[in-house]
Amino acid sequence: MLCFSWPARLGQYALVALAVGGLAGCLSPVTLNHAVMAYDEVTTDLLSRQLLLNIARARHHHPIHFTGVSNIAATFNFQVNAGVTPALTGNNGGLLMPLFGGSAAENPTISIVPIEGEEFTRRLLTPIQENKLTMPLRQGTDIDLVLRLITSEFRMYRQGEVVAFYNRPSDRGYAPFRRLVLHLSSIQDRNALYVEPLQFRQSFEYPADQVTPEALTALQKEFAVDYDASKQLYRLSKPVTGRIVITNYDPNLLSNDERIRLNEAAETSASDELTVDIRADYPGGEYPIQGKFRLRSFHNVLNFLGRGIADEQEYDVPKDTRTPEVAENPVSAMGVLESESAPSGVDLAVKYQGRYYAVRPDLGYPWNREAFRLLSQLFQMTVTELPQFGVPSITIAK
């Protein structure tokens, strides 16, 4: 027979309740943290594999296609149970031992949608804009790597004629192109390369008798207004952010008029063209460069990498004699490995058309991994927001 007092029993129940509550409180955040990190790892891995898969498709001249995870709705069911049982004390004593436990169940619903449609296709085929170039460069990415990956050609004037160097191994301008971007990289190594939008002040003059008080009030909201009483006119000025120019000097050291002229020359370029102005008497000036880079679309970047596997393999190009020694000058913009068996020593690989494809391991310095990271960033800047409703989708309920 078990004998005990009610106060003791209530105290034991309270202990059980506290223990069970603590178990549920610890279980919930731990489970949620694990799930969020797992889903993040899986979605990142899927994107990486799709990029590799589309490079493989381009290598075989097959259509490029992407699929994305548009929504993850995960439901967590936490259950706790508690009870008491007599302690193993024989026939004497009235001690109760608590029994408690807990469990967590996860029920995710994952929506998978094809990334397609006119808007996405247009952005996939539209050349990359110059303003997207500054983002990776501010992160310290080698300009040689960036330009070799996303630039299709460099154009310059020579004796009054346009000369084009195409970033394509089958073109005779490929070697000059490689030497040119490598020289820019050497300037970057000396911390003397500037890739920033031009900043200047734009000024206008208006006769005072043509400016009404109402118009003057409106102009003062946007411009700095000065009145020249001797000439009876208003001078309007405002700061302007112009086009991006690659230089080997600080453009802010130029006069305002020089910056305006430099921007006017850059304004003749399309939004997918990038002006270069490497002048003598500055670091790297022993190899002056004036011209324009034309940028690829993301679709063309994938095609370039795919063709480089077999059809148009890149080759080694030594530096120009005017360029100082550089530490990094790999053969490929991004080395992609193709093999008949699963490769070893790689981060990930995909299988397509009976062959395996992977980013080639780096040799000596992290070039290929940086190129693949840049490729992923470019895709994120290219792809539109994934649709949530009204699209064909696959729903996976676990």
Side-chain angles (χ1 to χ4, degrees), residues 43-359:
T43 52
T44 302
D45 183 73
L46 285 174
L47 173 59
S48 298
R49 292 181 182 277
Q50 285 194 72
L51 289 172
L52 267 177
L53 181 60
N54 279 298
I55 293 173
R57 286 171 175 156
R59 179 257 186 273
H60 292 278
H61 306 278
H62 292 170
I64 289 172
H65 189 268
F66 285 93
T67 301
V69 176
S70 66
N71 187 57
I72 299 176
T75 302
F76 297 93
N77 182 24
F78 300 96
Q79 295 181 346
V80 295
N81 52 73
V84 293
T85 184
L88 298 177
T89 58
N91 294 328
N92 298 320
L95 180 63
L96 288 180
M97 295 296 293
L99 289 177
F100 55 88
S103 63
E106 177 189 355
N107 183 31
T109 299
I110 303 172
S111 297
I112 301 173
V113 296
I115 308 176
E116 55 188 13
E118 180 181 353
E119 182 182 358
F120 174 75
T121 303
R122 182 171 59 250
R123 296 185 69 175
L124 196 65
L125 299 177
T126 299
I128 296 169
Q129 306 299 293
E130 66 167 24
N131 56 5
K132 295 180 180 179
L133 186 68
T134 59
M135 298 181 185
L137 293 177
R138 286 174 179 171
Q139 298 173 10
T141 306
D142 194 326
I143 192 170
D144 185 17
L145 187 156
V146 175
L147 295 177
R148 287 181 61 182
L149 195 64
I150 70 174
T151 303
S152 63
E153 63 186 86
F154 179 79
R155 290 179 173 268
M156 60 183 295
Y157 283 97
R158 180 182 291 171
Q159 298 178 349
E161 296 183 356
V162 177
V163 178
F165 301 145
Y166 290 95
N167 183 18
R168 193 168 61 230
S170 61
D171 189 86
R172 63 181 182 180
Y174 173 74
F177 175 89
R178 286 278 304 274
R179 295 188 183 101
L180 187 149
V181 296
L182 188 61
H183 187 74
L184 293 179
S185 179
S186 73
I187 300 174
Q188 183 185 38
D189 291 342
R190 287 173 269 178
N191 297 316
L193 194 71
Y194 295 82
V195 190
E196 297 291 340
L198 293 170
Q199 305 287 337
F200 55 92
R201 294 195 70 85
Q202 192 75 54
S203 301
F204 311 91
E205 292 184 350
Y206 287 97
D209 58 2
Q210 295 182 10
V211 180
T212 64
E214 294 79 7
L216 181 61
T217 301
L219 289 171
Q220 287 175 333
K221 296 179 180 179
E222 185 177 356
F223 297 90
V225 181
D226 293 320
Y227 178 65
D228 189 338
S230 62
K231 297 183 179 180
Q232 294 188 347
L233 55 81
Y234 287 101
R235 289 192 177 91
L236 311 178
S237 65
K238 68 173 182 178
V240 176
T241 299
R243 296 292 297 270
I244 297 174
V245 179
I246 299 177
T247 65
N248 60 338
Y249 56 88
D250 186 354
N252 292 323
L253 299 179
L254 302 177
S255 68
N256 189 67
D257 289 340
E258 287 179 303
R259 277 174 277 159
I260 290 176
R261 288 193 296 270
L262 187 57
N263 186 72
E264 289 174 346
E267 284 287 359
T268 61
S269 306
S271 59
D272 61 321
E273 293 180 334
L274 186 62
T275 300
V276 182
D277 184 30
I278 303 299
R279 300 182 179 182
D281 301 325
Y282 294 97
E286 62 276 2
Y287 183 178
I289 304 170
Q290 281 80 34
K292 299 175 182 179
F293 286 108
R294 182 168 293 176
L295 307 182
R296 293 183 169 118
S297 66
F298 188 79
H299 185 274
N300 285 339
V301 172
L302 294 179
N303 280 332
F304 169 74
L305 295 174
R307 289 195 305 267
I309 297 175
D311 294 345
E312 286 190 84
Q313 294 183 346
E314 296 186 81
Y315 54 87
D316 182 54
V317 176
K319 68 179 184 65
D320 188 275
T321 55
R322 294 166 289 182
T323 302
E325 292 298 326
V326 291
E328 302 175 353
N329 184 24
V331 172
S332 300
M334 189 184 86
V336 179
L337 180 67
E338 180 184 51
S339 62
E340 296 183 354
S341 58
S344 60
V346 298
D347 294 331
L348 59 89
V350 297
K351 189 176 182 180
Y352 187 72
Q353 296 291 302
R355 291 176 174 267
Y356 290 88
Y357 297 88
V359 177

